[in-house]
Protein backbone atom coordinates (compact mmCIF):
# COMPACT_ATOMS: atom_id res chain seq x y z
CA UNK A 1 0.00 0.00 0.00
CA UNK A 2 2.77 2.36 0.92
CA UNK A 3 4.74 1.40 -2.16
CA UNK A 4 1.82 2.04 -4.49
CA UNK A 5 1.36 5.47 -2.83
CA UNK A 6 5.00 6.29 -3.56
CA UNK A 7 4.58 5.17 -7.15
CA UNK A 8 1.50 7.38 -7.50
CA UNK A 9 3.31 10.41 -6.10
CA UNK A 10 6.29 9.75 -8.37
CA UNK A 11 4.00 9.48 -11.37
CA UNK A 12 2.27 12.71 -10.41
CA UNK A 13 5.60 14.51 -10.00
CA UNK A 14 6.74 13.15 -13.35
CA UNK A 15 3.51 14.31 -14.98
CA UNK A 16 3.88 17.74 -13.36
CA UNK A 17 7.44 18.09 -14.66
CA UNK A 18 6.38 16.99 -18.11
CA UNK A 19 3.47 19.45 -18.00
CA UNK A 20 5.85 22.26 -17.07
CA UNK A 21 8.25 21.33 -19.87
CA UNK A 22 5.49 21.08 -22.48
CA UNK A 23 3.83 24.36 -21.43
CA UNK A 24 7.19 26.16 -21.46
CA UNK A 25 7.80 24.85 -24.96
CA UNK A 26 4.35 25.93 -26.04
CA UNK A 27 4.87 29.40 -24.56
CA UNK A 28 8.23 29.77 -26.28
CA UNK A 29 6.85 28.70 -29.64
CA UNK A 30 3.98 31.18 -29.27
CA UNK A 31 6.49 33.91 -28.58
CA UNK A 32 8.62 33.03 -31.57
CA UNK A 33 5.57 33.03 -33.82
CA UNK A 34 4.68 36.46 -32.50
CA UNK A 35 8.17 37.80 -32.99
CA UNK A 36 8.34 36.33 -36.48
CA UNK A 37 5.03 37.95 -37.34
CA UNK A 38 6.18 41.26 -35.89
CA UNK A 39 9.23 41.33 -38.16
CA UNK A 40 7.08 40.37 -41.11
CA UNK A 41 4.58 43.06 -40.22
CA UNK A 42 7.34 45.63 -39.96
CA UNK A 43 8.73 44.63 -43.35
CA UNK A 44 5.28 44.93 -44.87
CA UNK A 45 4.80 48.25 -43.17
CA UNK A 46 8.10 49.61 -44.43
CA UNK A 47 7.33 48.47 -47.92
CA UNK A 48 4.01 50.24 -47.66
CA UNK A 49 5.74 53.38 -46.40
CA UNK A 50 8.28 53.27 -49.25
CA UNK A 51 5.54 52.77 -51.82
CA UNK A 52 3.66 55.75 -50.37
CA UNK A 53 6.87 57.80 -50.46
CA UNK A 54 7.66 56.90 -54.07
CA UNK A 55 4.14 57.68 -55.17
CA UNK A 56 4.36 61.08 -53.51
CA UNK A 57 7.72 61.63 -55.25
CA UNK A 58 6.15 60.91 -58.61
CA UNK A 59 3.18 63.11 -57.69
CA UNK A 60 5.52 65.94 -56.72
CA UNK A 61 7.53 65.63 -59.92
CA UNK A 62 4.56 65.30 -62.23
CA UNK A 63 2.95 68.56 -61.24
CA UNK A 64 4.71 71.78 -60.44
CA UNK A 65 4.09 71.71 -56.70
CA UNK A 66 6.63 73.55 -54.67
CA UNK A 67 8.39 71.31 -52.20
CA UNK A 68 11.42 73.50 -52.26
CA UNK A 69 13.87 73.26 -49.42
CA UNK A 70 17.29 73.82 -50.91
CA UNK A 71 18.74 75.46 -53.99
CA UNK A 72 22.14 74.97 -55.54
CA UNK A 73 23.98 77.65 -57.40
CA UNK A 74 24.87 75.54 -60.40
CA UNK A 75 23.91 72.33 -62.10
CA UNK A 76 25.79 69.16 -61.23
CA UNK A 77 28.39 67.71 -63.57
CA UNK A 78 26.99 66.06 -66.68
CA UNK A 79 27.96 65.12 -70.22
CA UNK A 80 25.46 67.19 -72.22
CA UNK A 81 26.05 70.50 -70.48
CA UNK A 82 23.98 73.66 -70.79
CA UNK A 83 24.94 77.30 -70.33
CA UNK A 84 24.08 78.60 -66.89
CA UNK A 85 22.07 81.39 -68.47
CA UNK A 86 19.58 78.95 -70.05
CA UNK A 87 19.09 76.25 -67.45
CA UNK A 88 18.62 76.39 -63.71
CA UNK A 89 18.96 73.54 -61.24
CA UNK A 90 17.37 73.15 -57.81
CA UNK A 91 17.87 70.38 -55.30
CA UNK A 92 14.70 69.61 -53.38
CA UNK A 93 14.10 67.31 -50.46
CA UNK A 94 10.80 65.49 -50.09
CA UNK A 95 10.09 63.72 -46.79
CA UNK A 96 7.09 61.47 -46.00
CA UNK A 97 6.19 59.75 -42.73
CA UNK A 98 3.85 56.85 -42.02
CA UNK A 99 2.47 55.65 -38.66
CA UNK A 100 0.80 52.25 -38.39
CA UNK A 101 -2.85 52.04 -37.26
CA UNK A 102 -1.95 50.60 -33.87
CA UNK A 103 0.86 53.20 -33.53
CA UNK A 104 3.38 50.44 -33.03
CA UNK A 105 5.41 51.19 -36.18
CA UNK A 106 6.58 54.51 -37.57
CA UNK A 107 8.86 55.08 -40.49
CA UNK A 108 9.86 58.02 -42.66
CA UNK A 109 11.57 58.27 -46.01
CA UNK A 110 13.28 61.21 -47.68
CA UNK A 111 14.28 61.76 -51.27
CA UNK A 112 16.69 64.22 -52.80
CA UNK A 113 15.37 65.42 -56.13
CA UNK A 114 17.12 67.47 -58.79
CA UNK A 115 14.91 69.75 -60.84
CA UNK A 116 16.25 71.19 -64.07
CA UNK A 117 14.18 73.95 -65.56
CA UNK A 118 14.66 76.41 -68.37
CA UNK A 119 15.18 79.99 -67.29
CA UNK A 120 11.96 81.91 -67.98
CA UNK A 121 12.30 84.12 -71.03
CA UNK A 122 15.17 82.13 -72.52
CA UNK A 123 12.87 79.80 -74.46
CA UNK A 124 10.17 81.15 -76.71
CA UNK A 125 6.99 79.46 -77.88
CA UNK A 126 5.91 79.43 -81.49
CA UNK A 127 3.58 82.36 -81.98
CA UNK B 1 79.15 103.75 -98.22
CA UNK B 2 79.88 106.75 -100.40
CA UNK B 3 77.73 109.81 -99.94
CA UNK B 4 76.45 109.61 -103.52
CA UNK B 5 75.09 106.07 -103.00
CA UNK B 6 73.52 107.10 -99.72
CA UNK B 7 71.80 109.96 -101.49
CA UNK B 8 70.64 107.54 -104.19
CA UNK B 9 69.09 105.00 -101.81
CA UNK B 10 68.04 107.62 -99.26
CA UNK B 11 64.40 107.95 -100.36
CA UNK B 12 64.05 104.14 -100.58
CA UNK B 13 65.47 103.69 -97.09
CA UNK B 14 63.23 106.45 -95.78
CA UNK B 15 60.15 104.74 -97.26
CA UNK B 16 61.10 101.38 -95.74
CA UNK B 17 61.81 102.90 -92.31
CA UNK B 18 58.60 104.93 -92.36
CA UNK B 19 56.56 101.91 -93.42
CA UNK B 20 58.02 99.84 -90.58
CA UNK B 21 57.37 102.66 -88.15
CA UNK B 22 53.78 102.98 -89.35
CA UNK B 23 53.24 99.23 -88.98
CA UNK B 24 54.57 99.29 -85.42
CA UNK B 25 52.45 102.32 -84.49
CA UNK B 26 49.39 100.73 -86.11
CA UNK B 27 49.79 97.45 -84.28
CA UNK B 28 50.29 99.19 -80.95
CA UNK B 29 47.38 101.54 -81.54
CA UNK B 30 45.26 98.51 -82.46
CA UNK B 31 45.86 97.13 -78.99
CA UNK B 32 45.65 100.47 -77.21
CA UNK B 33 42.40 101.64 -78.77
CA UNK B 34 40.58 98.48 -79.77
CA UNK B 35 37.24 98.54 -81.46
CA UNK B 36 34.14 98.48 -79.26
CA UNK B 37 33.40 94.85 -80.11
CA UNK B 38 36.60 93.71 -78.43
CA UNK B 39 35.49 94.64 -75.00
CA UNK B 40 32.27 94.64 -73.01
CA UNK B 41 31.73 97.16 -70.24
CA UNK B 42 33.05 95.84 -66.92
CA UNK B 43 29.78 95.30 -65.10
CA UNK B 44 30.05 94.64 -61.33
CA UNK B 45 28.93 91.14 -60.35
CA UNK B 46 26.87 90.54 -57.22
CA UNK B 47 28.24 87.45 -55.48
CA UNK B 48 27.09 85.42 -52.50
CA UNK B 49 30.25 84.72 -50.51
CA UNK B 50 30.97 82.69 -47.41
CA UNK B 51 31.32 84.74 -44.29
CA UNK B 52 33.00 83.11 -41.31
CA UNK B 53 31.75 85.78 -38.89
CA UNK B 54 28.05 85.19 -39.60
CA UNK B 55 25.88 82.13 -40.07
CA UNK B 56 24.82 82.78 -43.65
CA UNK B 57 26.50 83.98 -46.82
CA UNK B 58 27.18 87.65 -47.41
CA UNK B 59 26.74 89.61 -50.61
CA UNK B 60 29.62 91.51 -52.20
CA UNK B 61 30.20 93.30 -55.48
CA UNK B 62 33.10 92.11 -57.59
CA UNK B 63 34.53 94.54 -60.11
CA UNK B 64 37.30 93.91 -62.60
CA UNK B 65 39.12 97.11 -63.38
CA UNK B 66 42.20 98.11 -65.26
CA UNK B 67 44.54 100.51 -63.55
CA UNK B 68 47.47 101.78 -65.58
CA UNK B 69 46.77 99.06 -68.16
CA UNK B 70 47.09 96.24 -65.65
CA UNK B 71 44.17 94.09 -64.56
CA UNK B 72 42.95 94.10 -61.01
CA UNK B 73 40.01 92.69 -59.07
CA UNK B 74 38.26 94.58 -56.30
CA UNK B 75 35.61 93.62 -53.75
CA UNK B 76 33.08 96.13 -52.49
CA UNK B 77 30.60 95.99 -49.65
CA UNK B 78 27.06 96.68 -50.84
CA UNK B 79 26.91 100.06 -49.16
CA UNK B 80 30.39 101.31 -50.00
CA UNK B 81 32.09 102.87 -52.98
CA UNK B 82 35.57 102.04 -51.71
CA UNK B 83 36.93 98.54 -52.21
CA UNK B 84 37.86 96.74 -49.02
CA UNK B 85 40.00 94.17 -50.80
CA UNK B 86 41.80 94.26 -54.12
CA UNK B 87 44.08 91.99 -56.03
CA UNK B 88 46.80 93.63 -58.12
CA UNK B 89 49.80 91.30 -57.90
CA UNK B 90 49.42 88.01 -59.75
CA UNK B 91 51.61 84.93 -59.81
CA UNK B 92 53.27 84.63 -63.22
CA UNK B 93 55.42 81.99 -64.85
CA UNK B 94 58.38 83.75 -63.30
CA UNK B 95 57.68 85.47 -60.00
CA UNK B 96 54.84 87.85 -59.25
CA UNK B 97 53.72 90.80 -61.32
CA UNK B 98 50.81 92.74 -62.81
CA UNK B 99 48.21 91.12 -65.04
CA UNK B 100 47.29 92.39 -68.48
CA UNK B 101 43.87 94.11 -68.68
CA UNK B 102 40.84 91.93 -68.05
CA UNK B 103 38.61 91.95 -71.12
CA UNK B 104 36.80 88.79 -69.98
CA UNK B 105 34.66 88.95 -66.84
CA UNK B 106 35.99 86.81 -64.00
CA UNK B 107 34.02 83.58 -63.67
CA UNK B 108 32.73 82.83 -60.16
CA UNK B 109 32.61 79.16 -59.21
CA UNK B 110 31.02 77.21 -56.37
CA UNK B 111 33.30 74.20 -56.05
CA UNK B 112 31.47 72.40 -53.24
CA UNK B 113 27.81 72.97 -54.23
CA UNK B 114 27.01 74.80 -51.00
CA UNK B 115 25.35 77.65 -52.86
CA UNK B 116 28.07 80.24 -52.28
CA UNK B 117 30.92 81.24 -54.54
CA UNK B 118 34.33 80.17 -53.27
CA UNK B 119 36.64 80.52 -56.29
CA UNK B 120 37.16 82.87 -59.22
CA UNK B 121 38.65 82.14 -62.61
CA UNK B 122 40.25 85.30 -64.01
CA UNK B 123 41.49 85.56 -67.59
CA UNK B 124 43.65 88.42 -68.77
CA UNK B 125 44.02 89.82 -72.28
CA UNK B 126 47.15 87.83 -73.05
CA UNK B 127 45.62 84.52 -72.01
CA UNK B 128 46.83 83.94 -68.50
CA UNK B 129 44.26 82.14 -66.35
CA UNK B 130 44.27 82.33 -62.57
CA UNK B 131 42.26 80.58 -59.89
CA UNK B 132 41.67 82.70 -56.80
CA UNK B 133 40.05 81.71 -53.53
CA UNK B 134 37.44 84.21 -52.37
CA UNK B 135 35.39 84.78 -49.21
CA UNK B 136 33.36 87.71 -47.94
CA UNK B 137 36.51 88.85 -46.11
CA UNK B 138 38.54 89.20 -49.31
CA UNK B 139 40.68 87.39 -51.81
CA UNK B 140 42.58 84.25 -50.87
CA UNK B 141 45.54 82.62 -52.52
CA UNK B 142 45.92 82.75 -56.30
CA UNK B 143 47.23 80.02 -58.58
CA UNK B 144 48.34 80.42 -62.19
CA UNK B 145 46.56 77.68 -64.17
CA UNK B 146 47.40 78.55 -67.76
CA UNK B 147 49.61 80.86 -69.76
CA UNK B 148 48.15 80.83 -73.26
CA UNK B 149 50.37 83.64 -74.56
CA UNK B 150 50.35 83.49 -78.32
CA UNK B 151 51.67 85.76 -81.02
CA UNK B 152 48.33 86.32 -82.74
CA UNK B 153 45.55 85.59 -80.25
CA UNK B 154 44.21 87.77 -77.46
CA UNK B 155 41.59 86.64 -74.97
CA UNK B 156 38.52 88.83 -74.88
CA UNK B 157 35.79 86.76 -73.29
CA UNK B 158 34.72 83.68 -71.43
CA UNK B 159 31.71 81.39 -71.78
CA UNK B 160 31.99 80.04 -68.26
CA UNK B 161 33.27 77.12 -66.28
CA UNK B 162 31.50 73.80 -66.77
CA UNK B 163 31.84 70.65 -64.75
CA UNK B 164 31.88 67.54 -66.92
CA UNK B 165 31.01 64.01 -65.94
CA UNK B 166 32.15 61.55 -68.57
CA UNK B 167 30.23 58.31 -69.07
CA UNK B 168 32.31 55.17 -68.48
CA UNK B 169 32.21 54.17 -72.15
CA UNK B 170 33.70 57.46 -73.31
CA UNK B 171 36.31 57.76 -70.60
CA UNK B 172 39.95 57.02 -71.42
CA UNK B 173 41.47 54.53 -69.00
CA UNK B 174 43.20 56.26 -66.12
CA UNK B 175 41.23 59.48 -66.56
CA UNK B 176 39.02 60.64 -63.73
CA UNK B 177 35.31 60.70 -64.45
CA UNK B 178 35.05 64.40 -63.73
CA UNK B 179 36.88 67.44 -64.94
CA UNK B 180 36.20 71.11 -65.52
CA UNK B 181 36.00 72.92 -68.83
CA UNK B 182 36.85 76.58 -69.15
CA UNK B 183 35.64 78.01 -72.46
CA UNK B 184 37.31 81.19 -73.68
CA UNK B 185 36.93 83.49 -76.66
CA UNK B 186 40.16 84.50 -78.38
CA UNK B 187 40.51 87.15 -81.08
CA UNK B 188 43.13 87.34 -83.76
CA UNK B 189 44.96 90.66 -83.55
CA UNK B 190 45.73 90.80 -87.25
CA UNK B 191 42.36 90.03 -88.85
CA UNK B 192 39.79 90.25 -86.05
CA UNK B 193 38.68 86.63 -86.42
CA UNK B 194 37.49 84.79 -83.31
CA UNK B 195 38.27 81.34 -81.95
CA UNK B 196 36.85 79.25 -79.13
CA UNK B 197 39.41 77.84 -76.73
CA UNK B 198 38.48 74.99 -74.41
CA UNK B 199 40.73 74.26 -71.45
CA UNK B 200 40.40 70.96 -69.60
CA UNK B 201 41.15 71.36 -65.92
CA UNK B 202 41.41 68.25 -63.74
CA UNK B 203 39.04 67.78 -60.81
CA UNK B 204 41.87 68.58 -58.42
CA UNK B 205 42.90 71.89 -59.93
CA UNK B 206 45.63 72.60 -57.43
CA UNK B 207 47.61 69.64 -58.77
CA UNK B 208 47.27 70.76 -62.41
CA UNK B 209 50.32 71.57 -64.47
CA UNK B 210 50.55 74.91 -66.27
CA UNK B 211 48.68 74.84 -69.59
CA UNK B 212 50.24 76.42 -72.68
CA UNK B 213 48.63 77.39 -75.97
CA UNK B 214 50.83 75.06 -78.01
CA UNK B 215 49.64 72.05 -76.00
CA UNK B 216 46.06 72.62 -77.18
CA UNK B 217 44.82 70.66 -80.18
CA UNK B 218 43.94 72.78 -83.20
CA UNK B 219 40.46 71.68 -84.27
CA UNK B 220 39.86 74.50 -86.77
CA UNK B 221 39.78 72.18 -89.76
CA UNK B 222 38.23 68.72 -89.66
CA UNK B 223 39.85 66.06 -91.78
CA UNK B 224 37.93 64.45 -94.64
CA UNK B 225 37.95 61.15 -92.73
CA UNK B 226 36.42 62.78 -89.69
CA UNK B 227 33.82 64.51 -91.80
CA UNK B 228 32.78 61.22 -93.32
CA UNK B 229 33.22 58.70 -90.53
CA UNK B 230 33.33 60.88 -87.42
CA UNK B 231 35.97 61.07 -84.75
CA UNK B 232 37.87 57.84 -84.10
CA UNK B 233 38.12 56.41 -80.61
CA UNK B 234 41.88 57.09 -80.60
CA UNK B 235 41.35 60.77 -81.51
CA UNK B 236 38.66 61.10 -78.85
CA UNK B 237 40.80 59.56 -76.12
CA UNK B 238 43.80 61.65 -77.13
CA UNK B 239 41.66 64.82 -77.05
CA UNK B 240 40.34 64.00 -73.60
CA UNK B 241 43.77 63.14 -72.29
CA UNK B 242 45.14 66.44 -73.57
CA UNK B 243 44.98 69.96 -72.21
CA UNK B 244 42.08 71.01 -74.44
CA UNK B 245 41.40 72.29 -77.93
CA UNK B 246 40.89 75.48 -79.88
CA UNK B 247 38.97 76.12 -83.08
CA UNK B 248 38.83 79.13 -85.39
CA UNK B 249 35.30 80.33 -86.09
CA UNK B 250 36.25 81.86 -89.46
CA UNK B 251 34.31 84.95 -88.50
CA UNK B 252 33.75 87.46 -85.76
CA UNK B 253 31.33 86.67 -82.97
CA UNK B 254 28.32 88.97 -82.93
CA UNK B 255 26.98 87.73 -79.57
CA UNK B 256 28.15 85.42 -76.79
CA UNK B 257 28.01 81.76 -77.85
CA UNK B 258 25.61 79.46 -76.01
CA UNK B 259 26.02 75.88 -74.89
CA UNK B 260 22.83 73.88 -75.34
CA UNK B 261 22.77 70.21 -74.36
CA UNK B 262 26.48 69.75 -75.07
CA UNK B 263 26.61 71.74 -78.33
CA UNK B 264 28.27 75.17 -78.67
CA UNK B 265 26.28 77.49 -80.92
CA UNK B 266 28.09 80.63 -82.11
CA UNK B 267 26.65 83.35 -84.33
CA UNK B 268 29.45 84.89 -86.38
CA UNK B 269 29.80 87.51 -89.07
CA UNK B 270 31.90 86.14 -91.90
CA UNK B 271 32.56 89.38 -93.80
CA UNK B 272 33.04 93.11 -93.30
CA UNK B 273 35.19 93.00 -90.20
CA UNK B 274 38.80 93.51 -89.33
CA UNK B 275 40.92 93.87 -86.23
CA UNK B 276 39.92 97.51 -86.07
CA UNK B 277 36.35 97.37 -87.27
CA UNK B 278 33.46 95.48 -85.76
CA UNK B 279 31.19 93.44 -87.99
CA UNK B 280 27.81 95.01 -88.68
CA UNK B 281 24.44 93.45 -89.24
CA UNK B 282 24.84 94.03 -92.97
CA UNK B 283 27.68 91.52 -93.18
CA UNK B 284 27.23 87.86 -94.09
CA UNK B 285 26.42 85.77 -91.05
CA UNK B 286 26.56 82.12 -90.17
CA UNK B 287 25.89 79.83 -87.25
CA UNK B 288 28.64 77.48 -86.06
CA UNK B 289 27.57 74.38 -84.10
CA UNK B 290 30.30 72.24 -82.59
CA UNK B 291 30.67 69.41 -80.09
CA UNK B 292 31.47 70.73 -76.62
CA UNK B 293 34.03 68.05 -75.85
CA UNK B 294 35.77 67.71 -79.22
CA UNK B 295 34.78 70.70 -81.41
CA UNK B 296 33.74 68.06 -83.93
CA UNK B 297 30.56 67.57 -85.92
CA UNK B 298 27.24 67.22 -84.18
CA UNK B 299 25.10 67.82 -87.24
CA UNK B 300 26.12 66.92 -90.79
CA UNK B 301 28.10 70.16 -90.92
CA UNK B 302 29.51 72.68 -88.48
CA UNK B 303 28.47 75.84 -90.30
CA UNK B 304 24.98 76.98 -91.31
CA UNK B 305 24.08 80.12 -93.19
CA UNK B 306 22.14 82.75 -91.24
CA UNK B 307 19.61 84.86 -93.06
CA UNK B 308 20.31 87.89 -90.94
CA UNK B 309 22.64 89.27 -88.32
CA UNK B 310 19.86 90.99 -86.40
CA UNK B 311 18.60 89.56 -83.13
CA UNK B 312 19.68 87.27 -80.34
CA UNK B 313 20.05 83.53 -80.78
CA UNK B 314 17.19 82.08 -78.75
CA UNK B 315 15.72 78.63 -78.21
CA UNK B 316 12.20 78.09 -79.45
CA UNK B 317 9.85 75.31 -78.38
CA UNK B 318 8.23 73.77 -81.45
CA UNK B 319 4.63 72.46 -81.43
CA UNK B 320 5.91 68.86 -81.50
CA UNK B 321 8.11 69.44 -78.42
CA UNK B 322 11.42 69.67 -80.29
CA UNK B 323 13.70 72.68 -80.19
CA UNK B 324 14.80 75.22 -82.77
CA UNK B 325 17.25 78.11 -82.68
CA UNK B 326 15.92 81.41 -83.91
CA UNK B 327 17.30 84.90 -84.31
CA UNK B 328 14.92 86.92 -82.22
CA UNK B 329 14.64 90.68 -82.41
CA UNK B 330 11.90 93.17 -81.66
CA UNK B 331 10.90 93.43 -85.29
CA UNK B 332 11.58 90.01 -86.77
CA UNK B 333 12.34 86.36 -86.17
CA UNK B 334 14.46 84.14 -88.40
CA UNK B 335 14.81 80.42 -87.92
CA UNK B 336 18.49 79.52 -87.75
CA UNK B 337 18.39 75.76 -87.11
CA UNK B 338 15.58 73.32 -86.42
CA UNK B 339 15.47 69.85 -84.83
CA UNK B 340 18.25 70.55 -82.36
CA UNK B 341 19.91 67.54 -80.79
CA UNK B 342 21.39 66.75 -77.44
CA UNK B 343 24.61 64.80 -76.90
CA UNK B 344 23.86 61.28 -75.75
CA UNK B 345 26.28 59.42 -73.44
CA UNK B 346 25.61 56.07 -75.14
CA UNK B 347 28.39 56.36 -77.72
CA UNK B 348 30.83 58.80 -79.29
CA UNK B 349 28.63 59.92 -82.16
CA UNK B 350 25.30 59.40 -80.41
CA UNK B 351 22.83 62.23 -80.25
CA UNK B 352 19.18 62.37 -79.30
CA UNK B 353 16.53 64.87 -80.35
CA UNK B 354 16.39 67.71 -77.87
CA UNK B 355 12.92 67.86 -76.39
CA UNK B 356 12.07 71.06 -74.59
CA UNK B 357 8.64 69.79 -73.55
CA UNK B 358 10.36 67.51 -71.02
CA UNK B 359 11.21 70.50 -68.87
CA UNK B 360 11.08 70.89 -65.95
CA UNK B 361 13.06 67.64 -65.76
CA UNK B 362 13.32 65.70 -62.52
CA UNK B 363 16.04 63.36 -61.42
CA UNK B 364 15.87 61.33 -58.23
CA UNK B 365 19.34 61.57 -56.71
CA UNK B 366 18.76 59.43 -53.60
CA UNK B 367 16.08 57.97 -51.36
CA UNK B 368 16.96 57.19 -47.76
CA UNK B 369 15.15 56.13 -44.59
CA UNK B 370 15.34 58.36 -41.61
CA UNK B 371 16.13 56.47 -38.42
CA UNK B 372 14.62 58.15 -35.41
CA UNK B 373 14.48 56.69 -31.92
CA UNK B 374 16.34 53.56 -32.97
CA UNK B 375 17.24 51.18 -30.17
Amino acid sequence: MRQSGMALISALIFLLVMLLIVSANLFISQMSIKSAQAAQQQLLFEQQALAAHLSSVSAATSDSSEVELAEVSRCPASYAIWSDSIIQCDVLTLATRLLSDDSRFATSYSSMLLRQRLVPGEVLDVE
Amino acid sequence: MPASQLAKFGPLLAIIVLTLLAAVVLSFSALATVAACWRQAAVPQLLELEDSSSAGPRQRFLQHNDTAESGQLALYALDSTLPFSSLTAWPLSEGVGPAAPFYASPQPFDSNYDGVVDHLFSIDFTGRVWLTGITAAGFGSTLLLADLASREWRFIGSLGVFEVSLPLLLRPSGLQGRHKLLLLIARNISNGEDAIVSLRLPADITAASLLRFDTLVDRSVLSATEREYGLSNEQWFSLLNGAGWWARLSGQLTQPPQVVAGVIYSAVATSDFSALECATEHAEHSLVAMHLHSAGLVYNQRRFLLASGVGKLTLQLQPDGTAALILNSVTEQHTALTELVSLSPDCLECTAPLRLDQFPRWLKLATYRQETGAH
Side-chain angles (χ1 to χ4, degrees), chain B residues 118-139:
Chain B
D118 43 40
H119 285 95
L120 285 176
F121 288 88
S122 314
I123 305 103
D124 81 353
F125 190 52
T126 58
R128 286 174 292 199
V129 181
W130 290 276
L131 177 73
T132 307
I134 185 171
T135 63
F139 297 104

Side-chain angles (χ1 to χ4, degrees), chain B residues 137-215:
Chain B
F139 297 104
S141 61
T142 301
L143 179 71
L144 179 66
L145 297 177
D147 189 348
L148 306 176
S150 140
R151 201 160 39 85
E152 53 180 4
W153 296 98
R154 297 293 180 266
F155 293 80
I156 60 164
S158 167
L159 302 188
V161 188
F162 302 92
E163 194 152 29
V164 177
S165 164
L166 283 175
L168 199 60
L169 271 176
L170 304 180
R171 193 185 306 167
S173 59
L175 191 74
Q176 285 187 323
R178 292 190 174 199
H179 62 259
K180 293 181 182 65
L181 275 186
L182 178 60
L183 292 184
L184 306 174
I185 300 168
R187 180 156 292 176
N188 193 304
I189 51 169
S190 55
N191 61 14
E193 174 195 12
D194 285 333
I196 290 186
V197 178
S198 167
L199 296 184
R200 201 181 63 76
L201 304 168
D204 181 16
I205 290 185
T206 50
S209 56
L210 191 66
L211 302 180
R212 303 268 184 194
F213 192 77
D214 51 15
T215 58

Side-chain angles (χ1 to χ4, degrees), chain B residues 207-264:
Chain B
S209 56
L210 191 66
L211 302 180
R212 303 268 184 194
F213 192 77
D214 51 15
T215 58
L216 305 178
V217 181
D218 184 358
R219 299 278 295 153
S220 303
V221 180
L222 303 182
S223 67
T225 321
E226 187 181 337
R227 282 180 177 280
E228 190 157 353
Y229 302 107
L231 205 64
S232 70
N233 277 342
E234 290 74 28
Q235 283 175 306
W236 169 262
F237 290 149
S238 125
L239 258 178
L240 284 184
N241 274 322
W245 53 261
W246 69 281
R248 289 171 187 267
L249 292 171
S250 301
Q252 194 175 63
L253 283 166
T254 52
Q255 54 186 289
Q258 294 184 357
V259 183
V260 177
V263 187
I264 309 172

Side-chain angles (χ1 to χ4, degrees), chain A residues 34-44 105:
Chain A
K34 274 192 176 176
S35 61
Q37 280 178 344
Q40 199 179 8
Q41 271 184 349
Q42 189 155 4
L43 274 177
L44 283 171
F105 304 119

